[in-house]
């Protein structure tokens, strides 16, 4: 006997072990050798990570695809793994060390990296165990890590190949610099934060013209120390005579040119802008156009660094240098914030500050550190990705790779059409150390190993004459001298460099492995829109460069999971929902089904606990249906042919079942996960549980015979279809029921249900009419406030012969389920009756003495008016441009939803009024 209730906590771990023992998720199983391969690579979660709701959605959708296609007979590889997550992981370990008053530089690089590996082994697998709790059917035997030996070898080869082919180079350029971490970061790791600040208007004296100034407005007066020019628009007549002249940099005394450049906007500020190429990306471009040498006045911690800076003093006479040092030396080492206050005070004291205005503007912040990001001029390694971007764009435009939803292609195109060189170096210790070495003369050698680099260096130095052949041979043969002859590049690679190789490095590349031949290119990539450029585009570019083929044919972009009001989840708001908490409370199946059922393409998910609880109740409904079948003796009948059933009730449910299988199949194939889940839910809850099982009760409770046997066999057959169809969404529940009902093997490896069409128009006409009639009567009873215990008569108005036959067959069932006292036939409707039209047939419910019709009309009319007023108020809000501009997105969405609900309710009531004699 089955347990009385389904307890996910008692079942999930046991089911997971059953899958593991059966090698259910293993790619390349003997029974799949000739099958068509299908591969998904998991977006590798950070080794620091734990499961959040975005992971839960992403991995649920991947698992739906993998389980579905595995059941369709494909040889599925869902490739798991984790990312070393350079900055994030180093930050976690540094914070742990700081609790013990230990700094990483106290440990040294080798010991610090050892500590990170140690932490990774201890704590880094948290998210893997949580993904298993979610039910992720990855081939866990193939788990990879972006810094394991094989992937590290792939990284070295790609870097060396790119450098050899001229795509990787070292250059001094402006980068986003995170002063807290002391490293360059990507543009996409920068968040713009609306900040209340000031505009300082600073007067720059004009060289040789006493008492004449040009005024610039700036939000960053501390960077003026690095100004190398003032720019005005070429068409700005106010400054036409100043172009070509020089201004004197206040406090410093350096003469800087006044240049004409269209970057300057005559409508903003004073129309004149200070040009600081070392501390502003736009200024850097202006500096390049006018051949202006940048002057960096900040250090790696965003502190003032000028005293030992030759570029800062260049162009100043000895007298001017002495004066500037006297004025500015106290700034040395000050933070940029402190320096700003000091410089503003000095400007005001010396008469250079014209005015100060409040000014709100966007300020870049590091997404992990939270500190203000500094544009910083430094030597970094770059990849010229423009040629690769062009190939990736062509691949999407030609349809080799498609985006779902399609509108995300525009984002992909926009980013890649405007792509800049990729800064791939990071000033960290945790990560893939760049395979570059510096010789005694500073020459760079890029190689996969120190030995290769040393051989190249010694050969060059012998040819150049700085070493004799004998000296070169002596260095090569002396381990100590060989080890110190070259200096290793300290920087590591951007985490996304190794992640860009993920679709093929995980399959054994650069070796030509059987897995690589079988599973590359992969098929579907499921990911969030926020890493289309970070990861998707870079995988496209590296896949085309290394493999000469796109890495996947489809990119499915899912939306965000928000709270039930539509607000983005964040710790600061206190609205974060932990998926593990929901799994503990409601079970993994309920959470998974909720996410899939709400995953409409292009629409964010508003997650409410009520929805999760509702789908937990759905699981309970299915469990109870299985127990009902068991208690009524429903068992598998060998050789049962669903096409041969005779009872209309059974023909009807089989037609509905196969239609649903077809709908679910088509929806998953088209990545319409919500439609697939919705179709399955409606059939299981409504058609099968609420109607078929209910309508079958008299047969099951009646005498034994062919009708009972057929009905039992049909129930078992349909239930097996349900378990298979529902398995990708609710794997634990369905696997448990599969075993409880004596299914062969594990359900995860069973065949997807047969979707051949078994629809029967005659059976659907008969049973569908019965279902619709009972539903309409129930609806009217509820709308009209008919007491639950009241029995009401129903009159069929001039029914057809077919309807008369249905009443004969189903009259008792209709009376029982619709609480009908009597069913009669008439040519005219009785007075004070409500008329229902059910599939073209008219039925009347005489309500005299049961419901006060006039009072109902008055009540419903009043409610229509109330709803109209509510809709009008919402329309006024939504028609107010100021409201739309100022209100948070979730508030606007909530108003739209309230309007839709009110409109639907109004239509429902107006329909009820129409039934009351056309008095709507």
């Amino acid at each position: 006997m089955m347990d009385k209730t389904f307890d996910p906590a008692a079942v999930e771990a046991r089911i997971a072990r059953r899958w593991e023992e059966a090698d259910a998720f293993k790619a390349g199983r003997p029974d799949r050798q000739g099958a068509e391969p299908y591969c998904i690579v998991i977006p590798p979660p950070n080794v620091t990570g734990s499961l959040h709701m975005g992971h839960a959605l992403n991995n649920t959708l991947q698992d739906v695809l993998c389980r579905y296609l595995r059941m369709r007979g494909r040889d599925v590889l869902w490739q798991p793994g984790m990312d070393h997550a350079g900055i994030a992981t180093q930050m976690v370990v540094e914070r742990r060390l700081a609790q013990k008053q230990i700094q990483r530089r106290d440990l040294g690089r080798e010991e610090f990296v050892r500590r990170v590996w140690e932490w990774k082994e201890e704590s880094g697998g948290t998210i893997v165990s949580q993904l298993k709790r979610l039910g992720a059917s990855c081939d866990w035997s193939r788990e990879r890590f972006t810094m394991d030996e094989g992937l590290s070898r792939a990284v070295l080869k790609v870097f060396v190949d790119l450098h050899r082919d001229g795509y990787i180079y070292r250059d001094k350029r402006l980068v986003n610099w995170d002063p807290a971490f002391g490293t360059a970061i990507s543009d996409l790791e920068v968040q713009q934060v609306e900040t209340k600040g000031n505009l300082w208007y600073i007067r720059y004296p004009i060289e040789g013209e006493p008492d004449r100034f040009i005024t610039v407005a700036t939000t960053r007066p501390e960077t003026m120390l690095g100004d190398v020019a003032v720019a005005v628009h070429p068409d700005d007549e106010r400054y036409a005579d100043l172009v070509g002249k020089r201004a004197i940099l206040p406090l410093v005394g350096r003469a800087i040119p006044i240049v004409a450049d269209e970057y300057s906007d005559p409508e903003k500020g004073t129309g004149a802008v200070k040009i600081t190429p070392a501390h502003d990306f736009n200024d850097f471009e202006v500096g390049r156009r006018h051949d202006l040498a940048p002057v960096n006045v900040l250090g790696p911690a965003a502190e003032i660094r000028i005293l030992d800076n030759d570029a800062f003093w260049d162009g100043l006479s000895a007298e001017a240098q002495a004066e500037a040092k006297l004025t500015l030396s106290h700034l040395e080492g000050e933070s940029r914030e402190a320096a700003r206050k000091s410089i503003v005070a000095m400007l005001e004291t010396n008469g250079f500050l014209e005015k100060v205005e409040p000014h709100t503007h966007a300020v870049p912040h590091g997404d992990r550190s939270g500190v203000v990001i500094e544009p910083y001029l430094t030597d970094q390694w770059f990849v010229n990705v423009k040629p690769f971007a062009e190939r990736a764009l062509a691949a999407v435009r030609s349809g080799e790779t498609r985006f779902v939803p399609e509108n995300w292609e525009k984002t992909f195109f926009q980013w890649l059409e405007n792509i800049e060189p990729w800064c791939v170096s990071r000033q960290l210790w945790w990560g893939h150390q760049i395979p570059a070495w510096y010789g005694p003369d500073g020459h760079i050698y890029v190689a996969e190993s120190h030995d290769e680099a040393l051989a190249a260096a010694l050969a060059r130095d012998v040819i150049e004459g700085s070493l004799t052949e004998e000296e070169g041979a002596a260095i090569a043969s002396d381990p100590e001298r060989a080890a110190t002859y070259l200096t290793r590049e300290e920087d590591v690679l951007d985490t996304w460099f190794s992640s860009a190789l993920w679709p093929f490095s995980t399959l054994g590349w650069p070796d030509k492995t059987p897995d690589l031949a079988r599973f590359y290119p992969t098929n579907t990539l499921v990911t969030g829109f926020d890493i289309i450029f970070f990861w998707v585009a870079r995988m496209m570019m590296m896949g085309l460069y290394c493999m000469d083929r796109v890495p996947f044919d489809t990119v499915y972009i899912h939306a965000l999971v928000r709270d039930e009001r539509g607000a983005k989840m964040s710790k600061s708001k206190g609205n974060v929902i932990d998926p593990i908490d929901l799994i503990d409370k409601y079970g993994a199946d309920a959470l998974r089904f909720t996410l899939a059922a709400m995953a409409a393409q292009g629409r964010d998910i508003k997650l409410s606990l009520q929805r999760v609880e509702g789908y937990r109740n759905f699981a309970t409904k299915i469990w109870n249906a299985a127990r009902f079948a068991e208690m009524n003796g429903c068992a598998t009948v060998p050789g049962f042919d669903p096409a041969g059933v005779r009872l209309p009730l059974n023909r009807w449910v089989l037609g509905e079942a196969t239609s649903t299988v077809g709908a679910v199949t088509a929806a998953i194939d088209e990545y319409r996960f919500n439609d697939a889940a919705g179709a399955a839910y409606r059939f299981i809850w409504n058609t099968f549980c609420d109607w078929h099982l209910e309508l079958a009760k008299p047969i099951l409770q009646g005498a034994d015979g062919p009708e009972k046997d057929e009905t039992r066999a049909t129930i078992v057959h349909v239930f097996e279809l349900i378990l298979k169809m529902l398995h990708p969404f609710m794997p634990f529940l369905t696997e448990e029921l599969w075993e409880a009902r004596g299914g062969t093997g594990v359900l995860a490896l069973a065949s997807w249900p047969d979707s051949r069409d078994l629809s029967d128009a005659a059976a659907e006409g008969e049973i569908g009419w019965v279902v619709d009639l009972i539903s309409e009567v129930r609806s009217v009873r509820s709308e009209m406030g008919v007491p639950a215990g009241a029995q009401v008569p129903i009159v069929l108005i001039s029914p057809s012969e077919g309807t008369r036959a249905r009443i004969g067959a189903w009259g008792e069932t209709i009376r029982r389920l619709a609480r009908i006292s009597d069913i009669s036939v008439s040519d005219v409707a009785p007075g004070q009756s409500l008329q229902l039209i059910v599939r073209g047939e008219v039925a009347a419910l005489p309500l005299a003495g049961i419901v006060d019709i006039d009072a109902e009309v008055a009540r419903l009319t009043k409610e229509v008016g109330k709803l109209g007023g509510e809709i009008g108020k919402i329309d006024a809000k939504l028609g107010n441009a100021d409201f739309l501009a100022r209100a948070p997105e979730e508030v606007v969405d909530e108003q739209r939803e309230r309007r839709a609900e009110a409109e639907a309710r109004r239509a429902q009531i107006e329909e009820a009024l129409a039934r009351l004699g056309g008095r709507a």
Side-chain angles (χ1 to χ4, degrees):
M1 279 288 290
M2 289 176 58
D3 291 341
K4 189 174 182 180
T5 58
F6 175 60
D7 180 6
V11 165
E12 289 173 354
R14 175 163 46 80
I15 294 295
R17 284 195 300 273
R18 188 182 308 157
W19 289 328
E20 188 175 342
E21 290 164 2
D23 273 342
F25 311 144
K26 194 170 184 62
R29 289 170 51 89
D31 58 341
R32 301 293 166 103
Q33 290 300 309
E36 185 181 355
Y38 179 85
C39 183
I40 287 182
V41 288
I42 200 170
N46 289 353
V47 70
T48 60
S50 59
L51 193 70
H52 59 62
M53 205 53 77
H55 287 132
L57 170 64
N58 181 282
N59 286 279
T60 292
L61 299 184
Q62 289 177 85
D63 196 48
V64 168
L65 291 171
C66 287
R67 288 181 183 271
Y68 163 71
L69 286 160
R70 200 177 282 119
M71 296 177 78
R72 294 295 300 269
R74 303 282 289 271
D75 182 14
V76 173
L77 169 58
W78 184 7
Q79 174 63 57
M82 289 184 294
D83 193 287
H84 66 279
I87 290 179
T89 303
Q90 182 157 321
M91 178 176 69
V92 168
V93 176
E94 286 198 56
R95 284 176 178 171
R96 287 163 58 89
L97 291 171
Q99 293 171 359
K100 302 175 183 177
Q101 283 76 51
I102 301 173
Q103 300 297 316
R104 69 177 164 104
R105 297 199 180 277
D106 297 336
L107 296 174
R109 182 172 194 143
E110 186 176 341
E111 175 60 17
F112 176 77
V113 170
R114 189 191 68 78
R115 298 281 186 101
V116 182
W117 276 107
E118 187 178 82
W119 179 87
K120 183 261 179 187
E121 294 304 318
E122 288 176 6
S123 312
T126 299
I127 197 167
V128 169
S129 62
Q130 292 177 332
L131 287 171
K132 289 180 179 179
R133 286 206 60 191
L134 185 68
S137 64
C138 300
D139 184 347
W140 296 107
S141 68
R142 297 170 180 255
E143 186 180 334
R144 302 302 300 269
F145 180 51
T146 51
M147 283 184 62
D148 68 29
E149 184 178 348
L151 270 64
S152 295
R153 190 159 61 92
V155 167
L156 291 175
K157 176 171 173 53
V158 172
F159 189 95
V160 172
D161 287 352
L162 286 167
H163 183 268
R164 179 201 62 214
D165 293 343
Y167 296 115
I168 280 186
Y169 58 94
R170 187 165 171 80
D171 193 13
K172 186 180 287 292
R173 290 176 61 99
L174 211 58
V175 296
N176 293 301
W177 185 266
D178 189 317
F181 293 138
T183 181
I185 62 173
S186 151
D187 290 346
L188 297 173
E189 293 169 291
V190 177
Q191 294 178 334
Q192 298 296 331
V193 179
E194 202 71 5
T195 305
K196 291 182 178 179
N198 291 311
L199 266 178
W200 286 271
Y201 289 76
I202 305 172
R203 305 197 305 172
Y204 287 51
I206 303 301
E207 184 181 45
E209 299 187 34
D211 302 322
R212 190 178 183 188
F213 301 88
I214 185 168
T215 302
V216 302
T218 181
T219 59
R220 303 196 62 206
E222 69 278 9
T223 64
M224 65 162 290
L225 301 176
D227 287 358
V228 297
V230 172
V232 298
H233 195 278
D235 299 331
D236 194 333
E237 295 180 357
R238 294 172 296 174
Y239 304 117
D241 70 316
L242 289 178
V243 174
K245 295 184 178 181
R246 299 200 299 178
I248 303 300
L249 183 59
L251 307 181
V252 178
R254 186 189 308 121
I256 58 177
I258 300 171
V259 300
D261 194 281
E262 291 185 351
Y263 167 63
S264 179
D265 185 348
E267 303 298 322
K268 289 184 178 179
T270 65
V273 292
K274 57 193 283 299
I275 302 301
T276 322
H279 298 288
D280 182 275
F281 288 100
N282 291 314
D283 291 5
F284 184 79
E285 296 303 322
V286 175
R288 289 209 301 188
R289 286 196 290 272
H290 296 274
D291 198 24
L292 301 168
V295 177
N296 187 4
V297 296
L298 295 177
E303 80 283 15
I304 298 294
R305 283 282 179 261
I306 54 175
L307 292 183
D308 296 325
N309 186 342
D310 292 340
F312 180 80
W313 303 106
D314 187 37
L316 288 174
S317 65
E319 183 181 350
Q321 285 190 33
E323 185 177 344
K325 285 181 179 177
L326 187 64
T327 304
L328 303 173
S329 60
H330 71 283
L331 297 175
E332 185 75 8
E334 277 196 348
S335 70
R336 55 189 169 178
E337 294 81 12
R340 175 179 296 182
K341 293 177 181 178
S342 299
I343 288 170
V344 167
M346 286 189 287
L347 289 169
E348 188 171 22
T349 299
N350 289 279
F352 295 118
L353 188 63
E354 185 175 294
K355 62 178 179 178
V356 182
E357 290 179 347
H359 179 66
T360 300
H361 61 127
V363 176
H365 285 67
D367 65 349
R368 293 193 180 277
S369 67
V371 303
V372 175
I373 293 303
E374 191 65 50
Y376 189 59
L377 190 65
T378 179
D379 289 308
Q380 301 286 344
W381 290 88
F382 294 89
V383 182
N384 173 20
V385 287
K386 189 74 173 175
F388 309 136
E390 290 169 357
R391 288 193 68 186
L393 286 165
V396 174
R397 288 186 174 122
S398 69
E400 278 186 86
T401 297
R402 69 184 182 114
F403 279 79
V404 179
E406 189 178 356
N407 61 287
W408 286 111
E409 288 184 2
K410 295 178 183 176
T411 302
F412 182 81
F413 294 155
Q414 183 179 12
W415 278 339
L416 266 67
E417 286 166 354
N418 298 282
I419 200 165
E420 292 290 327
W422 176 14
C423 175
V424 293
S425 46
R426 298 291 182 267
Q427 289 64 55
L428 304 171
W429 284 354
W430 173 244
H432 293 282
Q433 194 168 355
I434 289 175
W437 287 261
Y438 298 88
D441 61 353
H443 188 81
I444 300 173
Y445 301 91
V446 172
E448 292 187 38
S449 68
H450 174 271
D451 288 348
E452 289 180 25
L454 179 64
L458 293 176
R460 176 180 179 274
D461 290 350
V462 168
I463 292 171
E464 294 287 325
S466 59
L467 286 177
T468 65
E469 288 188 15
E470 291 75 14
E471 288 171 330
I475 292 171
S477 62
D478 183 339
E480 187 173 332
R481 293 180 68 191
T484 58
Y485 190 73
L486 300 178
T487 303
R488 177 77 185 263
E489 168 65 75
E490 291 195 353
D491 290 356
V492 301
L493 285 164
D494 177 10
T495 296
W496 297 100
F497 190 94
S498 50
S499 298
L501 316 181
W502 190 248
F504 50 91
S505 63
T506 51
L507 297 173
W509 189 91
D511 295 333
K512 294 182 178 180
T513 65
D515 282 345
L516 188 66
R518 181 159 177 76
F519 291 108
Y520 190 91
T522 69
N523 297 89
T524 309
L525 179 74
V526 179
T527 190
F529 64 87
D530 52 332
I531 55 174
I532 290 176
F533 184 74
F534 266 131
W535 192 45
V536 178
R538 288 168 177 168
M539 283 191 289
M540 289 281 288
M541 293 189 286
M542 290 299 99
L544 287 163
Y545 172 70
C546 296
M547 300 293 296
D548 203 32
R549 298 182 71 183
V550 294
F552 25 72
D553 55 51
T554 303
V555 181
Y556 175 83
I557 302 294
H558 62 73
L560 289 175
V561 183
R562 299 177 178 269
D563 72 10
E564 60 186 319
R565 293 177 58 84
K568 191 173 181 179
M569 292 187 192
S570 71
K571 290 180 181 178
S572 61
K573 293 179 181 177
N575 64 346
V576 173
I577 302 173
D578 187 335
I580 296 299
D581 289 344
L582 296 187
I583 291 173
D584 287 341
K585 187 172 183 179
Y586 300 110
D589 291 318
L591 173 60
R592 288 168 60 107
F593 200 87
T594 303
L595 294 170
M598 301 181 76
Q601 289 183 12
R603 191 186 311 158
D604 286 348
I605 291 174
K606 295 181 181 179
L607 184 66
S608 72
L609 298 185
Q610 289 79 8
R611 287 292 293 265
V612 184
E613 184 177 7
Y615 289 125
R616 190 270 312 275
N617 296 340
F618 178 47
T620 300
K621 182 97 168 176
I622 297 166
W623 186 265
N624 289 340
R627 292 188 73 244
F628 173 85
E630 183 184 59
M631 288 187 291
N632 281 277
C634 300
T636 302
V637 177
F640 173 71
D641 180 10
V645 299
R646 300 180 63 187
L647 289 180
L649 176 62
N650 294 332
R651 295 204 309 273
W652 170 74
V653 78
L654 285 165
E656 294 293 310
T658 54
S659 173
T660 302
V661 170
V664 171
T665 301
I668 297 177
D669 284 342
E670 296 165 10
Y671 304 96
R672 293 183 288 107
F673 298 99
N674 62 313
D675 290 339
Y681 179 90
R682 288 188 297 274
F683 172 76
I684 295 166
W685 188 293
N686 299 325
T687 305
F688 182 66
C689 293
D690 283 356
W691 289 112
H692 183 261
L693 295 183
E694 188 64 42
L695 296 176
K697 280 180 181 178
I699 301 172
L700 296 172
Q701 293 164 2
D704 290 344
E707 290 189 354
K708 189 172 187 176
D709 291 343
E710 180 188 283
T711 301
R712 284 172 166 170
T714 299
I715 289 172
V716 170
H717 179 78
V718 171
F719 203 78
E720 286 184 358
L721 289 183
I722 287 171
L723 293 182
K724 290 179 177 181
M725 177 171 58
L726 197 60
H727 180 73
F729 301 93
M730 304 181 91
F732 293 104
L733 169 71
T734 54
E735 192 72 69
E736 178 71 0
L737 286 172
W738 182 260
E739 183 183 46
R741 298 201 53 76
T744 304
V746 292
L747 177 59
L749 293 174
S751 297
W752 185 249
D754 181 2
S755 60
R756 58 181 167 149
D757 187 8
L758 293 179
S759 57
D760 183 303
E764 200 284 326
E766 178 177 331
I767 307 302
W769 182 84
V770 172
V771 168
D772 289 354
L773 177 64
I774 295 170
S775 299
E776 284 289 312
V777 172
R778 286 174 172 175
S779 177
V780 166
R781 289 177 65 107
S782 175
E783 289 169 5
M784 298 295 105
V786 176
Q791 297 276 324
V792 298
I794 189 168
V795 180
L796 300 176
I797 312 303
S798 303
S800 65
E801 287 303 317
T803 296
R804 288 174 186 268
R806 292 166 192 157
I807 290 300
W810 296 99
E812 184 55 41
T813 298
I814 293 169
R815 281 190 284 273
R816 175 171 59 89
L817 297 180
R819 293 178 183 167
I820 296 297
S821 59
D822 178 65
I823 303 174
S824 60
V825 172
S826 174
D827 292 335
V828 294
Q832 287 197 310
S833 64
L834 264 107
Q835 294 187 28
L836 314 175
I837 300 176
V838 180
R839 299 198 176 197
E841 300 281 353
V842 180
L845 289 176
L847 296 179
I850 300 173
V851 173
D852 185 333
I853 301 293
D854 291 334
E856 273 304 301
V857 169
R859 181 182 70 81
L860 294 173
T861 302
K862 183 178 179 181
E863 193 169 347
V864 167
K866 183 179 177 182
L867 288 166
E870 186 178 334
I871 290 168
K873 288 179 182 177
I874 295 173
D875 284 344
K877 277 187 180 180
L878 295 176
N880 184 329
D882 189 55
F883 170 77
L884 294 176
R886 293 178 177 274
E889 182 184 350
E890 59 265 25
V891 172
V892 176
D893 286 345
E894 182 185 14
Q895 291 296 312
R896 288 177 176 144
E897 287 179 8
R898 283 181 56 193
R899 190 195 188 286
E901 289 168 3
E903 190 64 69
R905 178 62 182 152
R906 182 169 69 175
Q908 187 180 31
I909 295 173
E910 287 175 342
E911 185 180 345
L913 279 168
R915 287 191 182 121
L916 292 170
R919 285 175 272 191

